[in-house]
């Protein structure tokens, strides 16, 4: 990938040639800049992000967009499908969805959260957590976990599979389904499919609960470490419903500051532009959004599981709510900001999604056949927002009279989390860098921090959790003093 | 023995005047085609239906069947040629199948599968082409037009409107629209026209239908294109 | 033409004159008028009752492909010059659906010769299978380019000698862009149907000519002249041109060279008309006979990517309004 060097002295730095293979694979790259005293001055995570998509979609017919977007991001296609379709519901002129259509979409979304969180925790992160950050790289993967903790690994795989099956039943395919269309859904759920899922869901709820228990146990081994690793005090944002419970699929935007104080609440996501400002920086193609009212310095925020379980007032299902209370207790009433706390929050969410899915599978509407909403006049502009597994996802479109997209703006979860991730990596670097050398240990710790956020990098979800990563260390003069890479 | 010829060594009867393709179709033998549809005047431009007639390459959709002809259709060499043709049609336009609403009901894509096209092979030309969405009910995405001229023929011979024509030479050959502005919206085109239904690819599409039929439930998702030997019609479901 | 008309029973003839020869239109029309005035065209030609024949000049806008009979008739009808599907052949369904004979001037001129002197006299010239004479239109690197008339069977060496070609000719392209490329070791070959048959074009490439460049020009020519009707020629000629360009830019490899060969064969077998069928000949011949001219330009022997990574980053730079040094690569050699 491009070597986008430090701002201090970019002209003096040697550029690294692009390697086509690493571009395709999506190497993660971190540069650390030291100050005169060899302390960490600045840290930057460089990732290849899919800007340019907006340009691609302009001039295309609006009904193509929900399918096109999920194809362009292979990591959470369902999230893009849902966010884009929500926008297109409005553009196409549809009224409120039928109960069956909305419930099917929600079921799809919960299925996706279960599969994504399970993948993330069991396949990608549990090797670090269970086997140790510095355990042998060759064994630090799901295969290694399976050898050491066979039951756990099996549960992880099965839980993820359940999520995938939900997606397949609702969207038509495990990935890249087209079951969701503007105005509703194009396929009713059969009673048999519902029954199949219903018969498996209790077990999934049970396993999800055990997964939370596992994280809790891990934290108990070293609470201080878990609480403070990669800690970055941040504002937090997420969608909540009228009761103040998190709403993965819909709802109003709420933000709280690092101490839990209110910033804004129940704001219609369609007006996101009045709340958030997106900055462009000269060293990366990724945008940096922040809360306008607080300014660029203080306005950056966190999204995703760790933000969601802390901006809400309650979780809507009993088991998950009980777990949330335990979680809050770990912070003594204060919000938690450590990177590893993401895992705990994530497993609580997996439990929540499983419980919510169970509720829907018990709801007779889910096998209803009234799938499409009534259609009114077409509209010009819409914003579709959902809580993707990794955090808030915005899709904003304007469509011209000829039905072609005239404007498109996306803010993906990873973009929302951009600054927060950088801050966490900085915290890790400050704590674990000694001297002027990138050690294996430092590299591993940085990797663990990045992975906790679950950024939507293909490298972060690399097969068997092997994340190609390079860490470069520059001194105050801008000279490269150390480099280490893996993968 | 009279009025019989062979396809891949199998005897096939024909009615005098029939083309090889028509006779094959009547006998349930699949010969690939893109620019052929039974109701329209013969064209012979896509060359997908290329076969060997007594050892010489011929287009089956225009070449008349004759007594005693030995026709080869399904040979590795011919199939490789067809794959090259499909690859050429792919790289000539901009075919982003994953997001194309015709996917699964598109004959070009189906032929790509049929002839095991694993890559475009040739360097993509990535032409700059427009979308004409000026018509209220129908859209043309020129990125996906393969110049089969079915719409030209349907509009001229069935709808009697002559809305489409092909202009330009070589790679510059392109579909044009007969209207004061050159835009579909200013033409007499109507969604009920036969020409709105004949496009074998995703170039002429009815607006706002999109993915009403889920991918996976589409005709060529269920059966390969070669299974349609007898109908040769465009699949019903879009 | 009148004779041909008499023989087949036609009463109307067209002279198809390409736009490039507009300057010939006037003198030609004058000749026609004279003939009509002297009773050699019109009704009851030379007093023979029922021998009616008249001629009209048609200015064609068509390109190279209009040399193909059916494309010419299409053009005559005012349509784009695109070859027709055969059968039916021209002699049963031609111009405006009527039976039509399409021949070139040279053939018709020979008819007159035969009509006047008799077939036996005509057959005396030439070889056993190629009787008569042939007009050869010599161009390129020689002292006396022009149109020569030879008996069939003349050697290439003889023509070169007559027109004052340099001693060290690199090659001769016979039969125009669609023809064959002939190297010095083949200069004893003959112009005849049984050896090298040609419509008459004879292009000489002198000692300083780079055959790769010659082939590249031909590739451009075909990409430009393809009528666009059929897939293999429309796209194939463009691919051929692009590959030649890639090699010319020094980014080619054996992969491209092999692809060119495959392409020539493919176009030959699948194209709709003679243009496409022969569109790969010039490049293929050049490749077979002057391989070093290609090889010298190859960058790698096995494979070189078609895209330039540096150029591929341009859209990203545009989108982000960046053009600083870090947004560029320094790997491209
Ligand atoms: S028209 Fe056919 S080949 Fe082209 S993009 Fe659409 S589905 Fe693919
Ligand atoms: S628009 Fe469709 S039917 Fe018309 S020429 Fe193009 S591909 Fe053929
Ligand atoms: S189907 Fe015969 S050439 Fe197109």
């Amino acid at each position: 990938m491009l070597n986008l060097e430090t701002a201090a002295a970019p002209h003096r730095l040697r550029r690294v040639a692009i390697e086509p293979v690493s571009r395709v694979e999506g190497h993660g790259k971190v540069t650390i800049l030291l100050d005169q005293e060899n302390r960490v001055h600045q840290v930057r995570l460089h990732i290849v992000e899919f800007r340019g998509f907006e340009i691609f979609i302009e001039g295309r017919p609006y009904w193509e967009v929900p399918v096109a977007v999920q194809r362009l991001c292979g990591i959470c296609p369902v999230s893009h499908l849902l966010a884009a379709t929500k926008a297109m519901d409005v553009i196409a002129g549809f009224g409120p969805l039928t109960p069956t259509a909305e419930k099917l979409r929600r079921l799809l979304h919960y299925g996706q959260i279960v599969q994504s969180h399970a993948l993330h925790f069991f396949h990608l992160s549990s090797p670090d957590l269970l086997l140790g950050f510095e355990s042998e790289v060759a064994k630090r993967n799901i295969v290694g976990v399976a050898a050491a903790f066979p039951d756990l690994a099996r549960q992880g795989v099965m839980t993820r599979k359940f999520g995938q099956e939900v997606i397949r039943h609702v969207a038509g395919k495990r990935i890249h389904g087209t079951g969701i269309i503007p105005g509703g859904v194009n396929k009713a759920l059969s009673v048999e499919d519902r029954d199949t899922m219903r018969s498996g869901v209790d077990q999934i709820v049970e396993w999800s609960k055990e997964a939370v228990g596992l994280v809790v146990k891990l934290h108990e081994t070293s609470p201080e470490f878990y609480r403070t690793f990669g800690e970055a005090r941040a504002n937090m944002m997420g969608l909540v419903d009228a009761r103040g419970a998190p709403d993965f699929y819909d709802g109003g935007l709420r933000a709280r500051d690092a101490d839990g104080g209110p910033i804004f609440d129940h704001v219609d996501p369609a007006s996101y532009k009045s709340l958030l400002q997106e900055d462009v920086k000269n060293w990366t193609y990724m945008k940096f959004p922040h809360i306008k009212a607080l300014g660029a310095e203080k306005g950056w925020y966190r999204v995703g599981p760790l933000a969601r379980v802390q901006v809400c007032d309650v979780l809507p299902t009993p088991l998950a709510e009980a777990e949330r209370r335990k979680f809050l207790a770990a912070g003594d009433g204060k919000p938690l900001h450590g990177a590893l706390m993401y895992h705990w929050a994530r497993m609580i969410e997996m439990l929540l999604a499983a419980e919510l899915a169970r509720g829907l599978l018990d709801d007779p509407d889910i096998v209803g056949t009234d799938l499409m909403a009534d259609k009114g006049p077409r509209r010009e502009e819409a914003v579709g927002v959902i809580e993707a597994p990794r955090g808030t996802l915005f899709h904003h479109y304007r469509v011209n009279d000829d039905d072609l997209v005239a404007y498109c703006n996306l803010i993906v979860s990873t973009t929302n989390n951009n600054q927060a991730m950088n801050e966490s990596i900085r915290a890790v670097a400050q704590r674990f860098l000694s001297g002027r050398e990138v050690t294996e240990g430092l590299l591993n710790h940085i990797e663990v921090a990045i992975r906790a956020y679950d950024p939507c990098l293909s490298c972060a979800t690399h097969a068997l959790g092997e994340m190609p990563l390079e860490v470069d260390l520059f001194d105050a003069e801008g000279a490269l003093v150390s480099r280490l890479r893996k993968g | 023995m009279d009025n019989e010829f062979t396809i891949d060594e199998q005897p096939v009867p024909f009615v005098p005047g029939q083309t090889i393709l028509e006779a094959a179709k009547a006998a349930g033998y699949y010969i690939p085609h893109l620019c052929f549809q039974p109701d329209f005047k013969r064209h012979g431009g896509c060359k997908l239906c290329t076969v060997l007639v007594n050892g010489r390459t011929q287009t089956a959709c225009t070449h008349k069947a004759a007594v005693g002809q030995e026709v080869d259709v399904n040979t590795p060499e011919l199939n490789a040629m067809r794959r090259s043709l499909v690859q050429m049609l792919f790289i000539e336009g901009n075919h982003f199948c994953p997001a194309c609403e015709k996917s699964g009901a598109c004959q070009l894509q189906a032929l790509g599968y049929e002839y095991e096209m694993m890559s475009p092979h040739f360097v993509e030309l990535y032409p700059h082409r427009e979308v004409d969405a000026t018509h209220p009910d129908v859209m043309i995405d020129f990125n996906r037009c393969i110049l089969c001229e079915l719409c030209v023929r349907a509009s001229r011979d069935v709808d009697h409107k002559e809305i489409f024509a092909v202009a330009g030479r070589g790679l510059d050959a392109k579909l044009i629209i007969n209207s004061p502005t050159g835009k579909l919206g200013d033409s007499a085109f109507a969604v009920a026209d036969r020409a709105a239904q004949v496009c074998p690819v995703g170039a002429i599409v009815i607006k706002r239908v999109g993915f009403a039929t889920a991918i996976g439930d589409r005709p060529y998702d269920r059966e390969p294109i070669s299974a349609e030997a007898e109908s040769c019609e465009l699949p019903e479901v879009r | 033409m009148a004779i041909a008309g008499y023989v087949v029973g036609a009463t109307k003839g067209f002279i198809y004159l390409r736009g490039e020869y507009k300057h010939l239109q006037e003198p030609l029309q004058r000749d026609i008028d004279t003939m009509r005035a002297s009773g050699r065209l019109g009704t009851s030609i030379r007093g023979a009752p029922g021998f009616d024949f008249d001629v009209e000049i048609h200015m064609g806008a068509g390109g190279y492909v209009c040399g193909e009979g059916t494309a010419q008739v299409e053009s005559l009808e005012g349509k784009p010059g695109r070859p027709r599907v055969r059968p039916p052949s021209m002699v049963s369904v031609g111009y405006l659906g009527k039976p039509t004979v399409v021949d070139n001037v040279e053939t018709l001129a020979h008819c007159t010769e035969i009509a006047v002197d008799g077939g036996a006299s005509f057959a005396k010239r030439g070889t056993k299978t190629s009787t008569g004479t042939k007009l050869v239109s010599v161009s390129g690197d020689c002292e006396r380019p022009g149109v020569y008339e030879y008996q069939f069977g003349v050697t290439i060496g003889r023509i070169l000698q007559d027109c004052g070609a340099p001693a060290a000719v690199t090659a001769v392209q016979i039969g125009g862009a669609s023809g064959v490329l002939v190297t010095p070791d083949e200069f004893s070959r003959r112009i005849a149907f049984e050896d090298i048959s040609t419509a008459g074009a004879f292009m000489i490439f002198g000692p300083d000519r780079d055959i790769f460049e010659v082939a590249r020009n031909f590739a451009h020519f075909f990409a430009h002249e393809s009528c666009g009707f059929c897939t293999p020629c429309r796209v194939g000629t463009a691919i051929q041109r692009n590959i030649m360009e890639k090699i010319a830019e020094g980014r080619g490899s054996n992969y491209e060279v092999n692809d060119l060969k495959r392409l020539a064969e493919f176009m030959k077998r699948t194209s709709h008309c003679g243009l496409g069928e022969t569109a790969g000949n010039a490049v293929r011949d050049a490749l077979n006979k002057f391989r070093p001219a290609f090889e010298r330009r190859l960058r790698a022997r096995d494979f070189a990517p078609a895209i330039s990574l540096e150029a591929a980053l341009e859209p990203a730079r545009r989108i982000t309004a960046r053009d600083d040094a870090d947004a560029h690569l320094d790997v491209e050699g």
Side-chain angles (χ1 to χ4, degrees), chain A residues 240-438:
Chain A
V240 292
D241 65 14
R243 290 169 297 169
D247 190 342
F248 291 122
Y249 175 74
D250 209 2
L253 282 171
R254 172 187 280 181
R256 285 181 172 167
D257 66 23
D259 296 316
I263 303 177
F264 52 73
D265 200 0
H266 294 301
V267 182
D268 178 0
S271 58
Y272 78 101
K273 287 227 169 190
S274 66
L275 298 179
L276 305 176
Q277 163 115 22
E278 295 172 76
D279 280 356
V280 177
K281 302 212 174 178
N282 68 354
W283 56 273
T284 174
Y285 296 119
M286 283 246 315
K287 291 179 283 191
F288 280 78
H290 60 262
I291 295 167
K292 250 188 196 166
L294 301 180
E297 276 300 303
K298 298 211 167 110
W300 55 275
Y301 53 88
R302 155 179 297 138
V303 297
L306 184 54
R308 285 188 295 239
V309 299
Q310 301 190 98
V311 289
C312 66
D313 305 321
V314 64
L315 295 184
T317 59
L319 296 175
E321 172 60 9
E323 293 299 337
R324 186 186 72 103
R325 286 170 190 276
K326 278 190 226 157
F327 176 89
L328 293 183
D332 283 337
K334 290 213 191 65
L336 292 153
H337 295 288
L340 290 176
M341 301 309 289
Y342 259 101
H343 293 304
W344 190 346
R346 186 170 288 121
M347 288 303 96
I348 296 175
E349 283 195 345
M350 187 166 87
L351 175 60
L352 169 60
E355 284 185 282
L356 288 169
R358 178 163 66 183
L360 287 174
L361 290 168
D362 284 336
D363 185 331
D365 278 349
I366 204 76
V367 288
T369 50
D370 187 8
L371 305 178
M372 291 295 289
D374 296 331
K375 202 166 172 178
R378 230 208 64 199
R379 279 165 286 217
E380 196 197 333
E381 185 167 0
V383 180
V385 183
I386 63 155
E387 284 294 334
R390 294 160 179 80
T392 322
L393 168 66
F394 294 85
H395 276 227
H396 179 191
Y397 302 97
R398 256 197 306 278
V399 175
N400 69 19
D401 290 344
D402 288 342
D403 300 325
L404 303 181
V405 174
Y407 168 86
C408 163
N409 186 45
L410 309 185
I411 311 179
V412 303
S413 322
T414 298
T415 303
N416 281 313
N417 258 343
N418 205 354
Q419 184 72 25
M421 271 190 298
N422 277 284
E423 296 297 333
S424 281
I425 299 167
R426 171 154 72 170
V428 170
Q430 267 164 352
R431 182 155 159 194
F432 295 96
L433 176 74
S434 54
R436 288 162 55 94
E437 199 196 339
V438 183

Side-chain angles (χ1 to χ4, degrees), chain C:
Chain C
M1 270 177 91
I3 297 167
Y6 184 72
V7 172
V8 302
T11 56
K12 179 92 191 174
F14 294 94
I15 294 174
Y16 185 92
L17 199 58
R18 270 185 82 167
E20 285 89 332
Y21 299 111
K22 185 138 181 63
H23 59 281
L24 291 178
Q25 190 182 4
E26 252 190 61
L28 202 55
Q29 189 59 52
R30 240 179 290 129
D31 288 348
I32 293 172
D33 293 344
T34 324
M35 285 179 72
R36 203 177 287 130
S38 64
R40 282 178 289 162
L41 279 179
T43 45
S44 303
I45 290 175
R46 293 259 143 148
F51 184 5
D52 301 343
F53 194 77
D54 213 338
V55 169
E56 207 175 276
I57 299 175
H58 181 96
M59 293 306 297
Y64 182 73
V65 72
C66 289
E68 207 272 357
T70 59
Q72 189 167 97
V73 168
E74 285 278 296
S75 171
L76 211 52
E77 290 179 359
K79 299 188 204 144
R82 287 180 163 187
R84 284 189 187 170
V85 174
R86 277 185 292 193
S89 65
M90 285 283 121
V91 293
S92 42
V93 182
Y95 179 63
L96 298 181
K98 302 196 174 96
T100 306
V101 172
V102 186
D103 273 309
N104 64 31
V105 181
E106 193 182 1
T107 311
L108 292 169
H110 283 317
C111 289
T112 319
E113 233 176 277
I114 295 168
V116 175
D117 301 334
S121 134
F122 185 81
K124 267 202 292 222
R125 290 185 223 119
T127 69
K128 216 188 283 154
T129 36
S130 312
T131 52
T133 60
K134 177 80 207 121
L135 294 177
V136 177
S137 163
V138 178
S139 63
D141 302 322
C142 66
E143 279 160 25
R144 295 178 293 280
V147 181
Y148 292 69
E149 183 168 7
Y150 284 106
Q151 294 193 25
F152 270 115
V154 62
T155 63
I156 293 162
R158 171 71 197 274
I159 303 176
L160 289 172
Q161 212 177 344
D162 292 345
C163 68
V169 166
T170 310
V172 181
Q173 176 81 14
I174 299 175
S178 319
V180 287
L181 187 70
V182 178
T183 48
D185 55 324
E186 302 172 287
F187 286 172
S188 58
R189 290 179 66 183
R190 296 171 186 279
I191 303 282
F193 295 116
E194 63 272 25
D195 193 355
I196 298 176
S197 82
T198 166
F202 191 96
M203 214 182 293
I204 303 167
F205 302 110
D208 303 330
R209 297 285 176 164
D210 178 345
I211 296 300
F212 174 82
E213 287 302 326
V214 170
R216 185 176 159 209
N217 274 332
F218 281 131
H220 275 268
F221 173 83
F222 280 107
H224 184 255
E225 291 296 339
S226 167
C227 80
F229 174 80
C230 73
T231 311
C233 171
R234 182 179 71 238
V235 188
T237 54
I239 293 171
Q240 173 172 269
R241 176 199 58 202
N242 292 353
I243 295 180
M244 288 301 280
E245 282 309 297
K246 185 181 171 191
I247 297 175
E249 286 163 19
R251 298 191 297 114
S253 65
N254 272 336
Y255 180 82
E256 274 76 31
V257 169
N258 292 334
D259 236 20
L260 283 175
K261 286 192 178 170
R262 277 196 293 268
L263 204 55
E265 178 61 21
F266 170 78
M267 287 194 282
K268 183 170 162 181
R269 305 217 42 201
T270 52
S271 290
H272 185 65
C273 81
L275 187 142
E277 284 166 12
T278 57
N281 287 4
V283 170
R284 184 205 51 210
D285 283 0
L287 204 47
N288 287 340
K289 299 177 181 176
F290 294 90
R291 181 129 184 153
F294 286 74
E295 253 160 23
R296 189 151 67 70
R297 291 176 161 83
L298 302 186
R299 172 186 190 163
R301 299 215 122 243
D302 44 358
F303 179 79
I307 57 155
S308 147
L309 287 174
E310 167 65 19
L313 286 176
E314 186 49 36
R317 284 191 290 263
R318 222 172 35 237
I319 290 162
T320 51
R322 282 185 57 175
D323 200 21
D324 53 299
D326 287 344
H328 288 270
L329 302 174
D330 51 8
V331 282
E332 291 287 315

Side-chain angles (χ1 to χ4, degrees), chain B residues 43-47 52 57 62 77 81 84-85 88-89 91-92 121-123 125 146-147 149 166 168-171, chain C residues 63 82 85 224-232 234-236 238-239 242 255 259 262-263 266 269-270 272 306:
Chain B
H43 181 68
C46 76
K47 301 296 170 202
L52 288 182
T57 48
T62 60
E77 190 210 17
M81 264 182 203
S84 295
L85 285 167
M88 285 184 172
L89 288 170
I91 62 126
E92 185 189 16
H121 181 85
F122 303 108
V123 178
L125 297 175
I146 56 165
L147 294 171
E149 298 196 22
V166 169
R169 277 207 314 236
L171 221 47
Chain C
R82 287 180 163 187
V85 174
H224 184 255
E225 291 296 339
S226 167
C227 80
F229 174 80
C230 73
T231 311
R234 182 179 71 238
V235 188
I239 293 171
N242 292 353
Y255 180 82
D259 236 20
R262 277 196 293 268
L263 204 55
F266 170 78
R269 305 217 42 201
T270 52
H272 185 65

Side-chain angles (χ1 to χ4, degrees), chain A residues 127-200:
Chain A
D128 296 332
L129 304 177
L130 296 173
L131 307 173
F133 297 1
E134 311 209 26
S135 61
E136 198 186 326
V137 178
K139 289 204 188 121
R140 207 182 339 134
N141 53 40
I142 185 76
V143 180
V145 173
F149 306 90
D151 284 348
L152 179 79
R154 196 177 65 87
Q155 287 177 17
V157 171
M158 296 305 287
T159 305
R160 170 157 190 245
K161 180 132 187 289
F162 175 81
Q164 289 174 315
E165 287 299 294
V166 171
I167 295 173
R168 189 170 67 80
H169 288 308
V170 180
K173 279 163 101 184
R174 222 152 49 163
I175 38 169
H176 300 147
T178 50
I180 306 301
I181 51 172
V185 299
N186 62 8
K187 229 175 78 183
L189 180 65
S190 72
V191 173
E192 303 82 78
D193 286 350
R194 191 268 318 267
D195 291 348
T196 314
M197 291 188 274
R198 183 63 190 84
S199 68

